Amino acid sequence: MTKALITRTLAKDPPEVPKKLGGKVRYFDTRTIGFIMEVRTNVITFYFRYVNERKEKREIKLGRYGDVTVDQARKRAEQLKAEVSLGGDPSAERARRLSIPTFAAFVKDRYLPYALDHLKWYPSVESACRLRLVPALGSKALDEIGQADVIALISRLRASKLSGATVNRSLAILRRIFNLARKWEVYEGSNPTQHIPMTREQHRTTFLSVTELKALFRALDKEEDRSAAGCIALLVFTGARRGEALNARWSDIDLDKRIWTVPLSKNGHPRHIPLSNEALRVLAGMTRLPGNPFVFPGKGDGRPLEGLRGPWARVKKAAGLDDGVRLHDLRHTFASVLVNHGRSLYEVGQILGHRQLSTTTRYAHLQQESLLDAANTMRLAIEAGRTAEGARHHP
């Protein structure tokens, strides 16, 4: 151990390092206890050494001479010394900070495996992480992400013209990620998504007219991907969700009872979809492939259709439909047609698998003619009353 007052002069021109000392000499400062200057042949490095409350020796690197000055290194050593006097353990704190993973690493190694096991909507969660969240925040450690980063991300998502629902789902996933990281004690910071409000969602009311539906079926008849065409047709005649149809298996279909059972629906429960005559005709037109359990098989062995994006784009174009019409609008259309033909919201809700009547109401977009007919009910009631009154006075 070599004791000396570590000064600018000593750092600028230290004595030559004897080879017998292993190529380095350490100077222990006589003014600031724990402040060390390590001299090697080509580099000088500053350290701070201390003993924590458990009587364990710890050492922290302060920086290389040239990157920091002697005065800067001494000042930092004095700050750390004061921290230790107050019961702190700077080395352990530094190790803890370095152990906090980046957002990308946490999502890949911890969150997505958890989501795969616990969330039935895992594909949409994985997609949101891969396309929106990780590209924006992935390189930062979890404790480095602040509210300003989240606000900037949400602003970019809104500016990219994503729907309010998509932006909200991204924020909800992000909030869940940080809640789990804190629950699992990956870090101790606050959740940076706190107090950030959801985007106001504008629910679309698009549904197809009879003319548009006829054009759609003409286009489906000509669609080259017959599996996709059948899947889209079944959506029209059942009001099912896209994921439910893509994952439908023949074992879920009871043709005798005319029931299609969805083992796990969006609300977390099995649901039963009645199969109309037209739905049965769609199913009858599908070919059952050996070794493939899915009603709408994909290209891979034993796999379902991966998606409907391409076929739906072709069908829309061939049918002359607006480019903004979504597959989910077929579900809207199904509900609207049923309500417009006198079916109750309760019946429609049961078919669609809604647990709340308010949800069904949002899907049932009544046509203006139906609303006018409803408004005319008062006139019809009055006229019926007059007829009855006249009959009493003129027997």
Side-chain angles (χ1 to χ4, degrees):
M1 178 186 293
T2 303
K3 292 186 177 182
L5 178 63
I6 299 174
T7 63
R8 301 176 192 172
T9 302
L10 180 61
K12 186 176 181 180
D13 188 21
E16 187 176 347
V17 179
K19 293 182 179 179
K20 65 178 182 180
L21 296 179
K24 71 176 181 180
V25 173
R26 299 194 115 197
Y27 293 92
F28 291 76
D29 191 57
T30 55
R31 181 195 303 173
T32 304
I33 303 302
F35 182 36
I36 301 170
M37 183 177 77
E38 182 181 278
V39 180
R40 293 179 180 267
T41 303
N42 296 318
V43 66
I44 294 175
T45 309
F46 300 107
Y47 294 88
F48 174 66
R49 177 183 288 183
Y50 67 97
V51 178
N52 64 18
E53 289 184 326
R54 296 181 178 181
K55 307 303 180 184
E56 298 168 325
K57 289 184 179 181
R58 294 283 185 264
E59 195 169 283
I60 296 179
K61 181 178 178 179
L62 302 177
R64 289 185 175 184
Y65 179 60
D67 296 333
V68 297
T69 65
V70 172
D71 293 339
Q72 289 172 333
R74 181 185 297 280
K75 183 177 180 180
R76 180 58 180 154
E78 291 172 345
Q79 291 172 342
L80 293 173
K81 184 179 179 181
E83 186 178 329
V84 171
S85 298
L86 294 172
D89 192 345
S91 180
E93 175 61 23
R94 184 169 183 269
R96 185 195 64 78
R97 288 199 308 272
L98 292 175
S99 71
I100 296 175
T102 63
F103 180 82
F106 179 77
V107 167
K108 176 177 178 291
D109 299 334
R110 298 290 300 274
Y111 176 67
L112 286 181
Y114 167 84
L116 181 61
D117 289 338
H118 293 83
L119 303 179
K120 63 180 180 294
W121 51 88
Y122 171 81
S124 63
V125 169
E126 187 278 332
S127 177
C129 290
R130 174 169 44 85
L131 298 177
R132 295 185 285 277
L133 302 183
V134 170
L137 305 171
S139 62
K140 290 191 173 187
L142 290 174
D143 62 337
E144 293 177 331
I145 298 172
Q147 191 177 72
D149 298 301
V150 178
I151 291 174
L153 168 60
I154 297 304
S155 297
R156 288 197 298 273
L157 294 181
R158 289 171 179 165
S160 65
K161 297 183 180 180
L162 291 171
S163 69
T166 299
V167 174
N168 285 342
R169 280 195 296 272
S170 299
L171 179 57
I173 293 169
L174 187 61
R175 182 167 292 156
R176 180 61 171 160
I177 288 172
F178 278 100
N179 281 338
L180 287 173
R182 296 174 70 231
K183 178 180 178 181
W184 295 336
E185 298 181 348
V186 176
Y187 83 112
E188 297 177 354
S190 60
N191 189 327
T193 67
Q194 278 184 320
H195 312 304
I196 297 180
M198 292 290 186
T199 300
R200 183 173 183 142
E201 296 184 25
Q202 298 294 331
H203 295 299
R204 296 176 56 176
T205 58
T206 302
F207 58 97
L208 304 184
S209 66
V210 173
T211 301
E212 289 172 324
L213 285 172
K214 290 180 178 179
L216 172 64
F217 279 104
R218 286 195 295 270
L220 287 174
D221 288 340
K222 299 177 182 178
E223 167 58 31
E224 59 188 34
D225 188 334
R226 299 315 301 159
S227 186
C231 188
I232 294 171
L234 191 68
L235 294 179
V236 175
F237 291 122
T238 61
R241 299 180 179 93
R242 175 183 54 186
E244 294 171 340
L246 288 173
N247 293 302
R249 298 170 181 258
W250 285 111
S251 58
D252 301 330
I253 307 292
D254 189 327
L255 296 176
D256 294 331
K257 294 181 179 179
R258 303 174 60 138
I259 290 291
W260 167 19
T261 299
V262 177
L264 189 63
S265 66
K266 184 179 179 181
N267 59 33
H269 298 277
R271 78 183 189 95
H272 307 286
I273 302 174
L275 296 172
S276 64
N277 294 337
E278 291 299 327
L280 289 176
R281 273 192 277 272
V282 171
L283 293 173
M286 301 309 302
T287 302
R288 301 195 188 202
L289 299 183
N292 194 315
F294 294 98
V295 177
F296 304 107
K299 294 181 179 179
D301 292 340
R303 298 181 61 83
L305 275 173
E306 291 187 1
L308 296 168
R309 184 187 299 271
W312 178 239
R314 292 193 297 269
V315 168
K316 278 196 300 184
K317 183 176 181 180
L321 301 180
D322 187 90
D323 189 55
V325 176
R326 307 164 301 167
L327 270 172
H328 195 71
D329 292 327
L330 300 180
R331 185 168 164 87
H332 285 225
T333 301
F334 180 85
S336 296
V337 169
L338 265 61
V339 172
N340 281 321
H341 283 75
R343 311 315 304 190
S344 70
L345 291 180
Y346 173 80
E347 291 174 311
V348 176
Q350 288 296 302
I351 296 175
L352 294 180
H354 292 160
R355 303 188 70 182
Q356 296 181 345
L357 184 61
S358 59
T359 306
T360 309
T361 304
R362 179 163 64 89
Y363 280 91
H365 308 297
L366 297 176
Q367 295 180 10
Q368 184 64 18
E369 291 82 355
S370 297
L371 296 176
L372 287 174
D373 287 342
N376 283 328
T377 300
M378 177 61 75
R379 177 181 60 80
L380 295 174
I382 293 173
E383 289 182 353
R386 287 176 178 171
T387 301
E389 184 69 21
R392 285 199 299 272
H393 289 293
H394 298 87

